[in-house]
Each structure stands twice: as structure tokens, then as C-alpha cells.
Amino acid sequence: MTNTDLTALTGDYTIDASHSTIGFTVRHAMVTNVKGKFDEFSGSLHLDGSNPSASTASIDVKMDSIDTGSEDRDGHLKSADFFKIEEFPTMTFRSTKAEALGDEDYRITGDLTILGTTKPLTIDLEFNGAAKDPFGNERVGFEGKAEIKRSEWGLTWNAALETGGVLISDKIKLSFDISAIKSA
């Protein structure tokens, strides 16, 4: 049974990484999209149902867990050309503002840190509901999306194409499917 009484949802939650996805889509060779995800991350949420603007989110992503379905591409993304995972093993997000937009829509703004560079990121979220799972856990679900320009975080490697344009777009579409379990 879904519970939409937001006041009853107030509390602290841990992101259930095994039932959540942090993904991305990037235009490749100007003709197709390549999708990927991060397999290892952790995070927490504080939800305030009576005052959504007091809600917070914190996420840490292990950059070594990037998965695009190609070992060679993943290896290149982990290298000094892109994420420099030896020097910068973690990408982080720390919220600074939360807003209720109406209905089931919310917006969370925070600081995204990649390669030691911190810039603001705004994520539009849809509240997918709350339920008690068969194991007695109180769960909430959110789905979100955002867009960034990778160059703003120092991710500038690219290659020119013979036909014009570049191999990898600057714009990256981020997607989030988050399931979180309320702390006891």
C-alpha cells in the first residue's frame, strides 16, 4: 500500500544501492547515445514531510564503479583523460536547498564535486511513493534528472571527427532512480 502522507515520512533514510540507479547518457560521435551507470554508491536522505525545504540529501559515488558495458571505454573513463580515479576516487553531492514544486514534484539543489571541482547542480525529482516492503522496511522512492556540461568540472578530453563535430558531447544527462530505507 502506498503512503502519500508526507508528514508520516519524516525521518532519516539510507539509500538502498541494490535497488537504486545513478546513471548518465552522453551523445557519442554526434549520432547515438551511450548510457552508463555507477555500480557502487552510498547516501542518505533526511525527509521533512511538514517542511520539505528542510529535507537534505548526501551521496558518495565510487568512480571506479563506472559501467558503460564496455571494459575498454570504462578503462578510458577511469584514466587521466577523464575521471583520474587514482587521484579522485569519489564524486559527491551535498544538497543545499530543497523545494516542493507541487503535486509529487520536487527540486533539490546542491554541490556536485567531480575531480576536486565543486559546482552547483539542480535535480528535478518526482516522488514515486512510499511503502512497507515484505521485510518490514519503510521505503520511499524518487526519480530524478539533471543535465550538466562536463567541461565545467574539467572533463574536457575529446576528439574531432572527420565529418565535423566531436566524439563526445559536452552535455551529460544524469538520471536517478532512488529507493531509500527509513532508519529505525
Side-chain angles (χ1 to χ4, degrees):
M1 178 107 195
T2 300
N3 176 6
T4 56
D5 176 9
L6 294 182
T7 305
L9 300 179
T10 297
D12 295 315
Y13 292 78
T14 301
I15 293 175
D16 178 3
S18 66
H19 293 99
S20 299
T21 304
I22 296 176
F24 58 89
T25 303
V26 61
R27 178 78 67 187
H28 182 262
M30 312 269 310
V31 297
T32 189
N33 288 319
V34 169
K35 295 183 180 195
K37 62 186 174 75
F38 296 96
D39 292 327
E40 295 180 45
F41 53 90
S42 59
S44 60
L45 309 173
H46 172 76
L47 301 182
D48 189 325
S50 57
N51 180 14
S53 64
S55 298
T56 60
S58 174
I59 299 173
D60 296 316
V61 177
K62 291 186 180 179
M63 299 308 288
D64 190 39
S65 74
I66 196 165
D67 179 3
T68 64
S70 166
E71 281 188 42
D72 288 344
R73 181 172 43 229
D74 295 347
H76 191 200
L77 289 169
K78 294 174 187 181
S79 77
D81 284 344
F82 288 96
F83 290 117
K84 304 175 187 174
I85 66 162
E86 298 297 325
E87 187 179 352
F88 302 101
T90 308
M91 172 175 61
T92 62
F93 177 79
R94 302 290 183 263
S95 68
T96 57
K97 181 180 179 183
E99 305 169 77
L101 302 178
D103 294 326
E104 305 294 319
D105 297 325
Y106 297 86
R107 180 170 291 143
I108 192 157
T109 302
D111 294 325
L112 177 65
T113 302
I114 304 172
L115 296 175
T117 299
T118 303
K119 299 270 184 187
L121 173 67
T122 298
I123 304 169
D124 288 325
L125 295 168
E126 181 179 348
F127 175 62
N128 287 340
K132 184 177 279 198
D133 70 21
F135 309 103
N137 297 308
E138 294 286 343
R139 288 184 177 270
V140 294
F142 292 91
E143 190 174 341
K145 61 185 176 181
E147 287 186 4
I148 64 169
K149 288 188 175 183
R150 63 187 180 92
S151 59
E152 293 180 356
W153 280 268
L155 293 163
T156 57
W157 185 93
N158 222 328
L161 299 176
E162 281 185 32
T163 54
V166 291
L167 185 64
I168 305 166
S169 67
D170 192 31
K171 181 172 74 172
I172 308 291
K173 295 177 183 177
L174 304 174
S175 60
F176 309 89
D177 283 305
I178 302 295
S179 177
I181 299 171
K182 192 171 191 177
S183 303

